[in-house]
Amino acid sequence: MQLRCASIEAAPRGGSRALKTGIAASGGEAPKPSSSVRVSWKVDNTDLDELRYRLSYRLEGQTTWRSALKPGEKLTRTDYEWETSSLPEGAYRLMVDASDELSNPPDRALRHSLESGVVLVDNTPPVFKALAMNGRRISGEVVDGVGPISRIEVSIAGSDEWRPIFPKDGIFDEAAEAFDASIAALVPAGSHIVAVRAYDTAGNMVSRDVEAK
């Protein structure tokens, strides 16, 4: 007889997939912002009893756990859409508590809980700390309050064709990402307005224009 929470996964809805280095087609839709985090978990339940789950959260550094469920809500499935729009941004932990109380008397009911890794709650867009054009070379830095930055793209203003550029270190994994890339293949001779947009992993987006002369 065994009841054990084996794993927990949590991720914001609408995150972007990895992009290839260089000026190339974006290869997919941009992420869409969402304040909802999809939480799922796996449980070892050798008796195959009907299980009830309680989902709680706490801000990293705090000790008080708060219920993520609505008052009176009874959760029996192994996934949940956690709405975070009313929460302060930051790093959180989630805890799943599993119980077979629905199938057993109180003195025989089993319970087991498991705490997740860090889950980032991020509901505001990044900002451009710097943005400049030098000939056909674009450079700048994008910063997010929580991060990480997941995507940076450029386009000639008014066009619906966006091309990705990579950060200087070659990987999107930080809340602040600096970039410096040639966009000569995208911007023809003459004066043009270049649009730049950046996304964080939650799908929040910021857009800025810069002139290429």
Side-chain angles (χ1 to χ4, degrees):
M1 193 164 54
Q2 178 178 326
L3 173 62
R4 184 178 71 92
C5 295
S7 65
I8 306 173
E9 294 184 0
R13 296 184 62 85
S16 64
R17 64 185 180 89
L19 299 172
K20 295 180 179 180
T21 304
I23 304 297
S26 295
E29 293 185 2
K32 294 178 172 57
S34 174
S35 59
S36 178
V37 174
R38 182 174 181 81
V39 187
S40 61
W41 53 92
K42 294 180 180 179
V43 179
D44 294 331
N45 177 23
T46 57
D47 288 345
L48 301 180
D49 286 340
E50 182 181 7
L51 301 181
R52 178 179 183 177
Y53 304 102
R54 293 171 175 86
L55 182 64
S56 304
Y57 67 90
R58 65 174 174 84
L59 191 62
E60 188 81 319
Q62 295 183 351
T63 58
T64 301
W65 291 93
R66 296 174 172 82
S67 176
L69 306 182
K70 300 180 179 70
E73 184 176 10
K74 184 184 291 185
L75 181 61
T76 57
R77 63 184 187 275
T78 56
D79 62 86
Y80 193 77
E81 294 291 335
W82 180 38
E83 177 54 51
T84 67
S85 58
S86 62
L87 299 178
E89 293 187 331
Y92 284 78
R93 301 274 182 173
L94 292 165
M95 183 168 63
V96 173
D97 180 83
S99 168
D100 62 3
E101 63 194 67
L102 299 179
S103 303
N104 292 280
D107 61 341
R108 298 188 62 183
L110 299 176
R111 297 185 70 164
H112 188 262
S113 61
L114 182 65
E115 185 175 328
S116 74
V118 171
V119 180
L120 296 179
V121 169
D122 183 1
N123 296 322
T124 56
V127 297
F128 281 99
K129 189 175 180 180
L131 182 62
M133 287 289 306
N134 183 8
R136 288 299 182 266
R137 197 162 192 89
I138 190 167
S139 62
E141 184 179 12
V142 186
V143 180
D144 189 65
V146 178
I149 302 298
S150 66
R151 187 169 182 151
I152 302 173
E153 296 177 317
V154 296
S155 174
I156 296 178
S159 169
D160 59 359
E161 183 178 355
W162 292 87
R163 302 292 183 89
I165 57 177
F166 243 51
K168 285 183 176 181
D169 63 3
I171 184 171
F172 290 107
D173 61 352
E174 301 288 343
E177 295 286 3
F179 57 93
D180 186 351
S182 171
I183 55 173
L186 177 65
V187 183
S191 179
H192 299 275
I193 299 298
V194 176
V196 189
R197 66 187 184 186
Y199 295 84
D200 60 26
T201 53
N204 303 303
M205 186 269 286
V206 62
S207 179
R208 285 271 302 275
D209 290 344
V210 63
E211 186 176 5
K213 299 181 180 179

